[in-house]
Amino acid sequence: MRQKLEKQIEDLGPWFQNMAIAGVETAPDHFLGNYPAFKWEGFRHVIPEDLGGRSVLDIGCNAGFYSVEMKRRNAGRVVGIDADPHYLAQARFVAEQCGLDIEFRQLSVYDVAKLEERFDLVIFMGVFYHLRHPLLALDLIHEHVAADMMLFQSLQRGDGRIPDLGEDYPFSEWAMFEDPAYPKLFFVEERYAADPTNWFIPNRAAVEAMLRSAGFIIERHPEREVYLCRRGARHYAAEPPPGE
């Protein structure tokens, strides 16, 4: 029986998420170690131990690690989406082996309106920096699927400070852009870490500014790259600039 399981896991490889299925690990030699379980340990306390039947959407679910964890915390409806059918096959296999009722669909974050449903908790982990249109993704999540909370994570590089910025500056202002802590998105023209899907890598100030701009209120920051946000109102300018 174990040999059959090992063969099934091998046939579904390669795996990016290391998950233990009946004692068999899917990616025991992961270059990051026991990933993503070791990262989950650093912020799992911000999610209630009992989700009380609340609905969850896992965007960019990969092999379904977070979908499984939410179901184990008594989530009701859990939907995982990913653009890659390879990962979805892994996720469906894991859910079946664990005896968990989780729905998986092949959709990208840009397709979330097709779900025609809002979720109590949206998980948006490890996707942001793989997007050519990251702010659009946040806007779509806010507009179409987030009902209350969002657990967000993005790779970050650059300065980790939050600058003290004004609401507005004159066109002649240059100095603020020279501040290393100013909100920045580093554009990856070719690839980063041998991955051609890495596009924009934000610094901390950019992550927090973009979340606010899309209408999310940061409630907890349990780990350097992780935020628990609540859906709030979108930020719009009070009035258009003169001449527009």
Side-chain angles (χ1 to χ4, degrees):
M1 189 71 176
R2 182 183 175 91
Q3 287 183 331
K4 178 183 178 182
L5 178 60
E6 289 175 342
K7 181 64 166 57
Q8 289 174 307
I9 290 173
E10 180 182 358
D11 290 344
L12 284 167
W15 295 71
F16 184 70
Q17 294 184 337
N18 186 39
M19 305 172 73
I21 305 172
V24 180
E25 294 185 46
T26 58
D29 300 321
H30 200 293
F31 73 99
L32 292 175
N34 187 21
Y35 181 86
F38 83 89
K39 281 192 69 77
W40 171 233
E41 289 300 317
F43 57 86
R44 61 183 298 164
H45 60 281
V46 303
I47 301 297
E49 288 291 336
D50 185 352
L51 285 168
R54 281 176 273 189
S55 59
V56 178
L57 173 65
D58 185 3
I59 300 173
C61 63
N62 203 276
F65 177 89
Y66 292 108
S67 296
V68 168
E69 290 297 327
M70 296 306 104
K71 199 67 181 177
R72 286 172 173 167
R73 292 191 175 213
N74 196 32
R77 175 165 164 76
V78 177
V79 178
I81 65 171
D82 204 289
D84 191 331
H86 174 81
Y87 291 138
L88 290 172
Q90 294 176 347
R92 292 185 179 110
F93 174 79
V94 170
E96 180 181 0
Q97 291 297 313
C98 294
L100 299 174
D101 181 18
I102 304 173
E103 178 184 342
F104 294 102
R105 295 180 60 179
Q106 186 175 352
L107 295 170
S108 82
V109 65
Y110 306 121
D111 298 322
V112 292
K114 295 179 180 179
L115 292 167
E116 298 183 326
E117 181 179 355
R118 287 194 180 272
F119 296 81
D120 298 314
L121 173 63
V122 173
I123 297 175
F124 192 37
M125 306 282 291
V127 180
F128 194 69
Y129 49 97
H130 293 298
L131 302 174
R132 286 181 63 95
H133 312 289
L135 188 56
L136 172 62
L138 288 176
D139 287 342
L140 291 171
I141 291 170
H142 184 276
E143 183 176 350
H144 295 289
V145 291
D148 186 16
M149 305 301 294
M150 178 174 71
L151 185 65
F152 173 89
Q153 182 270 337
S154 174
L155 175 71
Q156 295 179 21
R157 290 293 184 265
D159 202 295
R161 295 172 297 167
I162 300 297
D164 183 16
L165 299 174
E167 283 290 323
D168 193 13
Y169 291 90
F171 186 74
S172 58
E173 170 63 37
W174 284 63
M176 66 180 183
F177 299 110
E178 302 300 327
D179 184 345
Y182 189 83
K184 292 180 175 67
L185 287 178
F186 299 99
F187 176 65
V188 181
E189 185 175 4
E190 294 294 338
R191 62 191 63 210
Y192 178 69
D195 186 344
T197 71
N198 288 320
W199 287 103
F200 288 97
I201 303 176
N203 65 2
R204 178 185 170 186
V207 166
E208 297 187 11
M210 293 173 80
L211 287 170
R212 289 192 301 270
S213 179
F216 291 98
I217 301 166
I218 297 170
E219 297 224 327
R220 304 281 298 273
H221 185 202
E223 199 244 28
R224 183 178 184 272
E225 297 180 343
V226 177
Y227 297 84
L228 183 67
C229 306
R230 184 176 299 278
R231 186 181 187 273
R234 288 283 306 277
H235 175 72
Y236 295 100
E239 58 185 40
E244 293 191 13

